């Protein structure tokens, strides 16, 4: 039966590739996901026909995992997708860490190596090295533990930041760089030592601990609005962790599949960085937004004009084109259904409605698209930033809902601004711009937004959901 | 030396797969980035294969390995099951406008 396994592995890898290929079109994406799931099923079957297994333990683990997985996938709210993806990145990392460790533990137990056990004599040490599979194997075990550990705790912190358990603000302390430097140094020294001397059980233990600490250290200094980059990066790590586990057990399929996920995360990371006009290094190490309240650029003149929904209604009623610019605030206020209802009212009134989606709007890549899809907005109404901007001048009303930095014209005009150069949606170029916002507080980065003070801008204060619902009521009443 | 050659081969596969991944993913539009991420969560659950292999009978003597392996199976299964199901749930919601309704709709 053994010869079947490699053939099935190839089929499985092909199905993964096709699945991702089908995912590149909205019409075939769902089928793509099923294709990829079939690939996974085949991979599992291919493995289980291979040799004897401790099935009782497999069943226990798989059953527990399946129950949690089903519940999580059914219960999660679409606004909480970033949290779920963050958590799942972490589980992927942890699984790879456990595989790496488990493979090491087998040899360690067989040779009587453990924590606090006296060192082996030279002959036994050589046998240990042999059983492990040589220095390269030791290095891959170390790598699996390292990447898996960083991915795990990093993802847990990212989850904490997204769900509000951990502060969204960058956490910075004096000596942070020194601590990080020492951690990296320890990891490098450990890597060399473990590769030469894998029977040193304590190195594996300490390296695991250090990797877990490093995961925390790399994510805590990153602010909430930079989470799209962090989640993408951790997504990549979770794939690379699977790769590392693949090297440990010398399994082609793990390496291929892990590499696909790793590549996916890398691409998303670079798209997110570009959309913020920042380098990855800047996102990871600058503690962006920690300064708080620094305007940096030139002072803003003018006054923000508040407007009541009842007055806004008259402008919307007369508009022939409206562009909605959603941001993280729309997710927080759960306003997506109300927004869709308003859009339907407008369309019924003969107004053309589009949604302008900034690549980093929300807390993960594509976050807004999912929320609006949940609210039954058809995806052909969602327009990417580069396509909508040239048409903004012909738009009657831009409604900014819970977005701030992604519509900040300072990014285009004010060279002194910290976000100067970041591509934005030109909401300010619309004839009229409504900004739905809870208060005048500045956005995540603590940067003032001159958009609020423009002549054509009106602030509609209040909870985004109730404001939009108020507008819908206005439309309904006038229709009655 | 044999081990070294094997690693050379595996590394070769890794690099090729990486390039294939970059080519494939570049074509995924931003609209589908969230399903792509949750889908790749599921795919990274491929560690499940590694976890199963850790639980083969030859390793049964090491209790700690059994525990580690069972945990790995559990976490990887969460990813596989949860990842595919939630991605499916999400993609089910992605719909184009059914048919142009009453007014215009051609835009």
């Amino acid at each position: 039966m053994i010869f079947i396994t490699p053939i099935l592995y190839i089929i499985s890898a092909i199905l993964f590739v096709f699945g991702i290929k089908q995912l590149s079109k909205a019409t075939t994406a769902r089928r793509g996901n099923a294709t990829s799931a079939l690939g996974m099923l085949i991979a599992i079957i291919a493995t289980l026909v291979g040799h004897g297994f401790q099935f009782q333990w497999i069943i226990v683990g798989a059953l527990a995992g399946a129950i949690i997985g089903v519940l999580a996938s059914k219960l999660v709210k679409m606004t909480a997708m970033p949290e779920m993806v963050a958590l799942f990145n972490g589980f992927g990392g942890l699984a790879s860490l456990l595989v790496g460790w488990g493979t090491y533990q087998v040899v360690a137990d067989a040779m009587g190596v453990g924590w606090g056990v006296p060192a082996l004599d030279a002959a036994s040490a050589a046998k240990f090295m042999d059983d492990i599979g040589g220095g390269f194997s030791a290095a891959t075990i170390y790598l699996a533990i390292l990447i898996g550990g960083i991915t795990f705790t990093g993802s847990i912190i990212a989850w904490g930041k997204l769900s509000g358990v951990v502060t969204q603000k960058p956490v910075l302390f004096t000596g942070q760089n020194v601590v990080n430097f020492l951690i990296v140094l320890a990891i490098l020294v450990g890597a060399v030592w473990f590769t030469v001397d894998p029977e040193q059980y304590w190195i594996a233990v300490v390296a695991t601990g250090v990797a877990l600490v490093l995961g925390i250290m790399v994510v805590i200094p990153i602010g909430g609005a930079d989470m799209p980059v962090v989640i993408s990066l951790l997504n990549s790590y979770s794939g690379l962790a699977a790769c590392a586990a693949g090297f440990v057990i010398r399994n082609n399929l793990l390496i291929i599949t892990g590499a696909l996920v790793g590549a996916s995360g890398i691409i998303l990371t670079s798209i997110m960085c570009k959309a913020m006009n920042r380098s990855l290094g800047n996102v990871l190490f600058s503690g962006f937004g920690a300064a708080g309240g620094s305007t940096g650029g030139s002072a803003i003149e003018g006054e923000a004009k508040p407007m009541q929904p009842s007055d806004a209604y008259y402008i919307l009623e007369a508009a022939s084109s409206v562009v909605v610019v959603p941001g993280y605030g729309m997710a927080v206020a759960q306003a997506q259904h109300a927004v869709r209802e308003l859009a339907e009212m407008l369309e019924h009134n003969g107004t053309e409605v589009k949604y302008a989606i900034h690549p980093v709007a929300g807390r993960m890549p594509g976050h807004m698209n999912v929320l609006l899809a949940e609210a039954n907005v058809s995806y052909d109404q969602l327009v990417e930033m580069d396509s909508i901007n040239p048409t903004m001048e012909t738009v009657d009303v831009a409604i900014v809902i819970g977005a701030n930095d992604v519509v900040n014209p300072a990014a285009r005009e004010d060279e002194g601004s910290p976000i100067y150069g970041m591509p934005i949606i030109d909401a300010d170029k619309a004839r009229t711009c409504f900004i739905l916002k809870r208060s005048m507080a500045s956005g995540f980065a603590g940067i003032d937004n001159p958009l609020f003070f423009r002549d054509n801008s009106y602030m509609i204060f209040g909870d985004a959901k109730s404001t939009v619902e108020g507008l819908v009521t206005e439309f309904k009443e006038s229709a009655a | 030396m044999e081990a070294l050659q094997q690693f050379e081969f595996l590394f070769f596969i890794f690099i090729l797969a990486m390039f294939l991944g970059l080519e494939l993913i570049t074509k995924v539009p931003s609209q589908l980035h969230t399903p792509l991420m949750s889908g790749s969560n599921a795919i990274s659950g491929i560690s499940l294969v590694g976890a199963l292999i850790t639980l083969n009978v030859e390793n049964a003597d090491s209790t700690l390995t059994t525990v580690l392996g069972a945990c790995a199976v559990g976490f990887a299964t969460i990813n596989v099951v949860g990842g595919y199901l939630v991605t499916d749930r999400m993609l089910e919601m992605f719909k184009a406008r059914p048919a142009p309704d009453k007014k215009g709709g051609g835009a």
Side-chain angles (χ1 to χ4, degrees):
Chain A
M1 285 290 272
I2 304 281
F3 69 95
I4 284 184
T5 305
I7 296 170
L8 289 179
Y9 275 177
I10 291 173
I11 295 172
S12 163
I14 291 171
L15 287 172
F16 283 128
V17 169
F18 268 105
I20 295 175
K21 196 171 152 58
Q22 287 173 313
L23 204 62
S24 61
K25 271 202 199 101
T27 43
T28 56
R30 202 171 172 209
R31 214 179 323 142
N33 189 51
T35 308
S36 150
L38 180 65
M40 186 63 78
L41 185 67
I42 291 177
I44 294 166
I45 294 171
T47 309
L48 292 180
V49 298
H51 21 203
F53 288 94
Q54 309 173 56
F55 278 105
Q56 69 278 29
W57 291 109
I58 290 177
I59 290 168
V60 168
L63 209 59
I67 291 170
I68 297 172
V70 170
L71 288 179
S73 70
K74 299 290 171 207
L75 298 178
V76 67
K77 284 190 185 148
M78 283 301 134
T79 44
M81 273 316 294
E83 285 96 311
M84 181 159 173
V85 168
L87 215 50
F88 278 26
N89 284 339
F91 292 165
L94 184 57
S96 302
L97 185 159
L98 294 172
V99 170
W101 189 284
T103 310
Y104 177 64
Q105 190 65 39
V106 174
V107 182
D109 277 357
M111 297 287 297
V113 164
W115 183 262
V117 175
L120 299 173
D121 59 59
S124 304
K127 181 170 176 349
F128 191 100
M129 184 60 125
D130 227 36
D131 287 355
I132 268 291
F136 274 98
S137 287
T140 58
I141 287 171
Y142 192 85
L143 204 61
I145 290 174
L146 192 66
I147 304 177
I150 294 171
T151 313
F152 176 56
T153 47
S155 300
I156 295 298
I157 298 292
W159 167 81
K161 278 181 181 266
L162 289 162
S163 59
V165 177
V166 178
T167 175
Q168 297 223 358
K169 290 215 174 83
V171 176
L172 301 169
F173 55 88
T174 42
Q176 199 158 11
N177 289 336
V178 178
V179 173
N180 288 344
F181 175 75
L182 290 176
I183 290 176
V184 172
L185 193 68
I187 286 173
L188 291 177
V189 171
V192 175
W193 196 341
F194 190 75
T195 305
V196 183
D197 232 1
E199 83 274 11
Q200 302 287 348
Y201 191 84
W202 66 273
I203 301 179
V205 176
V206 171
T208 308
V210 170
L212 294 175
V213 173
L214 184 59
I216 298 172
M217 294 297 287
V218 290
V219 180
I220 49 166
I222 302 173
D226 287 345
M227 280 302 137
V229 178
V230 176
I231 297 193
S232 306
L233 195 62
L234 289 167
N235 199 234
S236 173
Y237 287 177
S238 74
L240 295 177
C243 267
F247 276 105
V248 171
I249 58 170
R250 303 187 192 176
N251 181 303
N252 283 337
L253 186 62
L254 252 73
I255 294 173
I256 294 171
T257 317
L260 293 177
V261 175
S264 159
I266 288 170
I267 288 189
L268 292 173
T269 307
S270 101
I271 292 174
M272 293 300 110
C273 284
K274 254 184 223 150
M276 295 199 290
N277 189 38
R278 289 164 55 201
S279 68
L280 183 59
N282 181 275
V283 172
L284 295 183
F285 304 118
S286 73
F288 195 74
S294 70
T295 49
S298 46
I300 297 164
E301 289 169 16
E303 210 174 313
K305 297 175 292 298
M307 185 182 254
Q308 292 303 316
S310 48
D311 297 323
Y313 161 72
Y314 289 108
I315 297 176
L316 285 175
E317 206 269 332
S320 65
S321 59
V322 167
V323 168
V324 176
V325 188
Y328 182 56
M330 184 183 80
V332 174
Q334 298 271 2
Q336 66 273 25
H337 295 278
V339 169
R340 193 253 310 146
E341 210 180 334
L342 176 64
E344 276 177 4
M345 291 288 170
L346 286 165
E347 285 179 327
H348 192 68
N349 197 31
T351 310
E352 184 197 353
V353 181
K354 281 184 179 154
Y355 299 82
I357 311 295
H358 192 283
V360 293
R363 285 293 185 264
M364 73 181 293
H367 193 188
M368 294 296 120
N369 300 74
V370 170
L371 289 189
L372 292 168
E374 187 203 12
N376 261 328
V377 175
S378 81
Y379 56 73
D380 47 14
Q381 275 181 291
L382 311 189
V383 187
E384 287 180 30
M385 174 172 66
D386 295 335
S387 318
I388 199 96
N389 272 344
T391 68
M392 279 314 278
E393 277 165 32
T394 64
V395 170
D396 287 327
V397 184
I399 310 178
V400 178
I401 303 177
N404 192 346
D405 294 336
V406 297
V407 290
N408 190 339
R412 208 177 50 222
E413 296 160 355
D414 180 1
E415 282 185 44
S417 171
I419 57 168
Y420 180 71
M422 168 173 159
I424 59 157
I425 291 173
D426 298 330
D428 56 313
K429 288 187 180 166
R431 295 197 181 95
T432 308
C433 183
F434 292 154
I435 298 120
L436 274 57
K437 215 172 172 316
R438 243 179 292 216
S439 68
M440 282 303 289
S442 51
F444 150 78
I447 302 156
D448 285 325
N449 193 336
L451 173 68
F452 305 160
F453 306 94
R454 293 287 157 99
D455 289 337
N456 57 342
S457 294
Y458 297 93
M459 310 295 296
I460 308 178
F461 290 116
D463 172 67
K465 191 178 169 191
S466 32
T467 304
V468 176
E469 281 171 350
L471 287 167
V472 170
T473 315
E474 294 282 345
F475 269 96
K476 276 184 182 156
E477 278 171 5
S478 71
Chain B
M1 205 54 214
E2 195 193 326
L4 196 64
Q5 268 170 359
Q6 199 176 3
F7 276 108
E8 215 179 279
F9 174 68
L10 291 175
F11 194 72
F12 184 71
I13 287 179
F14 168 68
I15 297 294
L16 282 182
M18 209 65 182
F19 272 98
L20 176 62
L22 292 174
E23 274 303 307
L24 280 173
I25 311 285
T26 317
K27 301 206 171 73
V28 178
S30 65
Q31 166 207 0
L32 291 168
H33 278 167
T34 298
L36 170 66
M37 291 192 89
S38 64
S40 52
N41 271 160
I43 297 175
S44 72
I46 192 71
S47 319
L48 180 55
V49 166
L52 295 174
I53 292 171
T54 325
L55 281 179
N56 71 34
V57 278
E58 291 160 26
N59 295 350
D61 290 342
S62 164
T63 317
L64 187 49
T65 302
T66 306
V67 175
L68 294 170
C71 290
V73 168
F75 283 110
T77 308
I78 295 178
N79 266 19
V80 170
V81 174
Y84 282 123
L85 287 181
V86 84
T87 308
D88 187 66
R89 195 182 133 198
M90 223 183 301
L91 289 171
E92 193 187 357
M93 300 183 314
F94 278 76
K95 289 190 193 90
R97 194 183 302 241
D101 47 331
K102 301 154 220 165
K103 280 206 167 185

